[in-house]
């Protein structure tokens, strides 16, 4: 099985590292949307599958099950299709229609929950459905993106190591958080190479990861309604909470100022960087890195749609 998986390896990682215009800092980004399946999430997906196959936990009769409404499901679906094994994503009604159609092309079965959990979101209901599916599905394997050490290792040895090999000195890294796998793996690797680096976690208002009060959120890919076990592995210096309004503005600014068409989590991170450095002066410009976790195409009907944004603003649900 591993040979099938490795036939896709050259399409993952070694993403372009580009320098961006900025007045106060030397700003860099890594175009993670150029990975196979269009996002950074294929890195942990590949590493989890590879490690689990090596340990004999996944074999040709396995069915992989995961709760994801987005990039991780598409990454797993892409890899499982190449492996020739079954994959069942557990999704919810908030999934955007583009992602849902991609998933329906990648897998025979998509499991959709419809009931909200006690935080008014769907994550807890999705995780409960995963547990039910694991009981009734023969040879089921749960990738558990929120608490699988292999997800963290995938980022440590993948993205984290690539960044560490690219810079002699790096002063700041800004990373969006959801399952916290990216920040856990990348922060650990970067702190080894650059002991003085500042790791800034960017979360969204209404996400409970760092203790904010839960509220309904509209932009996927950032925030969570649980505290992911992966967070324990992360080495974080500062946390910023960005409103969804600022995340949308951040996406439009990325397009205007940097000509990069990015997804909502990247817009949040870009907004965080602008806020963080506003009014600060340095004798020597610091080096600052963030990633473009996915691109803007799945968000054309939301973040990049004026009517959708105005509708949510009029309902006073977008903060
Ligand atoms: C677009 C995007 N950005 C950022 C993240 C956050 O990464 P992590 O789940 O590793 O915290 C995700 C996770 O799904 C994502 O899809």
């Amino acid at each position: 099985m591993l040979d099938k998986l490795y036939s896709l390896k050259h399409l993952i990682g070694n993403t372009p590292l580009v320098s961006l215009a900025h007045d106060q800092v030397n700003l860099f980004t890594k175009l993670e949307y150029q990975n196979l399946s269009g996002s950074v999430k294929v890195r942990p997906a590949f590493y989890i599958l590879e490690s689990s196959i090596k340990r004999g936990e996944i074999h040709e009769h396995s069915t992989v099950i995961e709760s994801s409404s987005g990039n991780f499901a598409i990454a797993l679906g892409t890899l499982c299709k190449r492996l020739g094994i079954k994959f069942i994503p557990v999704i919810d009604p908030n999934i955007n229609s583009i992602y849902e159609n991609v998933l329906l092309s990648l897998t025979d079965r998509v499991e959709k929950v419809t009931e909200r959990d006690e935080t008014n979101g769907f994550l807890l209901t999705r995780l409960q459905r995963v547990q039910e599916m694991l009981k009734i599905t023969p040879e089921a394997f749960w990738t558990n993106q929120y608490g699988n050490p292999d997800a963290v290792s995938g980022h440590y040895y993948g993205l984290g190591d690539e960044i560490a090999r690219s810079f002699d000195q790096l002063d700041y890294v800004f990373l969006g958080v959801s399952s916290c796998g990216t920040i856990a793996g990348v922060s650990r690797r970067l702190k080894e190479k650059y002991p003085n680096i500042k790791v800034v976690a960017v979360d969204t208002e209404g996400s409970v990861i760092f203790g904010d009060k839960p509220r309904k959120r509209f932009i996927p890919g950032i925030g969570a309604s649980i505290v992911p076990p992966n967070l324990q592995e992360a080495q974080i210096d500062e946390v910023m909470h960005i409103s969804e309004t600022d995340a949308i503005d951040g996406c439009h600014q990325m397009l205007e100022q940097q000509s990069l068409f990015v997804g909502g989590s990247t817009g949040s991170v870009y907004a965080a960087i602008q806020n963080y450095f506003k009014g600060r002066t340095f004798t020597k410009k610091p080096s600052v890195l963030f990633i473009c976790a996915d691109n803007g195409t799945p968000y054309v009907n939301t973040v990049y749609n004026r009517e959708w944004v105005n509708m949510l603003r009029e309902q006073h649900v977008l903060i």
Side-chain angles (χ1 to χ4, degrees):
M1 280 178 96
L2 281 172
D3 52 337
K4 289 186 191 159
L5 193 65
Y6 291 152
S7 69
L8 295 174
K9 198 169 182 172
H10 64 292
L11 300 172
I12 299 170
N14 296 314
T15 49
L17 175 64
V18 295
S19 167
L20 302 180
H22 200 279
D23 287 341
Q24 292 140 291
V25 303
N26 292 320
L27 186 60
F28 300 92
T29 192
K30 237 168 128 54
L31 304 183
E32 288 298 302
Y33 57 67
Q34 291 203 14
N35 277 308
L36 177 73
S37 87
S39 82
V40 67
K41 298 292 286 195
V42 77
R43 292 182 186 263
F46 187 95
Y47 198 91
I48 289 172
L49 294 178
E50 180 188 29
S51 310
S52 311
I53 292 169
K54 282 184 183 167
R55 289 194 292 261
E57 294 163 0
I58 291 181
H59 46 77
E60 52 200 16
H61 303 295
S62 295
T63 297
V64 171
I65 297 177
E66 183 59 290
S67 154
S68 166
S69 259
N71 288 318
F72 194 59
I74 291 170
L76 280 175
T78 305
L79 299 177
C80 288
K81 200 172 178 63
R82 174 61 59 101
L83 287 170
I85 60 175
K86 291 198 192 101
F87 170 55
I88 306 177
V90 179
I91 63 166
D92 67 54
N94 278 345
I95 190 168
N96 91 44
S97 58
I98 297 174
Y99 282 152
E100 187 164 9
N101 284 325
V102 175
L103 281 177
L104 289 168
S105 310
L106 286 171
T107 73
D108 293 336
R109 179 166 172 200
V110 173
E111 188 72 14
K112 199 186 231 177
V113 304
T114 50
E115 286 188 13
R116 288 187 182 277
D117 58 38
E118 69 245 29
T119 70
N120 207 21
F122 289 99
L123 180 58
L124 301 178
T125 324
R126 279 201 261 133
L127 290 172
Q128 197 183 333
R129 181 66 61 85
V130 167
Q131 294 309 317
E132 290 160 14
M133 303 280 299
L134 290 173
K135 281 190 200 131
I136 57 169
T137 311
E139 313 287 356
F141 181 88
W142 177 31
T143 37
N144 186 14
Q145 62 163 325
Y146 287 88
N148 187 334
D150 288 331
V152 177
S153 299
H155 286 296
Y156 176 97
Y157 292 112
L159 180 58
D161 198 55
E162 267 172 45
I163 297 169
R165 282 188 280 112
S166 303
F167 293 90
D168 289 334
Q169 176 60 31
L170 193 57
D171 301 302
Y172 292 89
V173 63
F174 286 72
L175 293 164
V177 290
S178 181
S179 74
C180 296
T182 311
I183 201 159
V186 171
S187 66
R188 292 190 83 84
R189 181 67 190 97
L190 296 190
K191 289 270 184 186
E192 284 170 2
K193 171 90 190 258
Y194 319 103
N196 296 324
I197 192 172
K198 265 205 177 352
V199 176
V200 183
V202 181
D203 198 2
T204 188
E205 289 181 4
S207 154
V208 310
I209 299 175
F210 298 103
D212 208 9
K213 219 170 103 215
R215 58 166 284 144
K216 201 165 172 210
R217 294 174 284 112
F218 299 90
I219 300 179
I222 187 157
S225 45
I226 59 166
V227 180
N230 291 337
L231 182 62
Q232 285 166 14
E233 302 301 317
Q235 299 186 357
I236 295 171
D237 297 291
E238 291 186 50
V239 176
M240 294 179 77
H241 283 92
I242 298 297
S243 70
E244 295 197 304
T245 301
D246 284 354
I248 293 168
D249 289 347
C251 286
H252 288 276
Q253 284 167 7
M254 275 289 281
L255 192 53
E256 259 173 52
Q257 298 167 4
Q258 312 291 356
S259 307
L260 293 173
F261 183 46
V262 297
S265 73
T266 308
S268 303
V269 172
Y270 193 62
I273 292 172
Q274 307 295 33
N275 292 351
Y276 190 92
F277 292 106
K278 200 183 288 169
R280 291 197 191 189
T281 48
F282 300 93
T283 43
K284 184 172 173 276
K285 278 186 174 187
S287 301
V288 179
L289 176 91
F290 68 107
I291 65 168
C292 290
D294 66 355
N295 82 8
T297 308
Y299 305 83
V300 287
N301 296 324
T302 56
V303 168
Y304 292 98
N305 178 328
R306 257 182 242 282
E307 280 173 27
W308 182 84
V309 174
N310 289 339
M311 183 191 75
L312 293 185
R313 280 201 175 128
E314 277 158 22
Q315 291 172 10
H316 301 292
V317 288
L318 195 65
I319 52 169

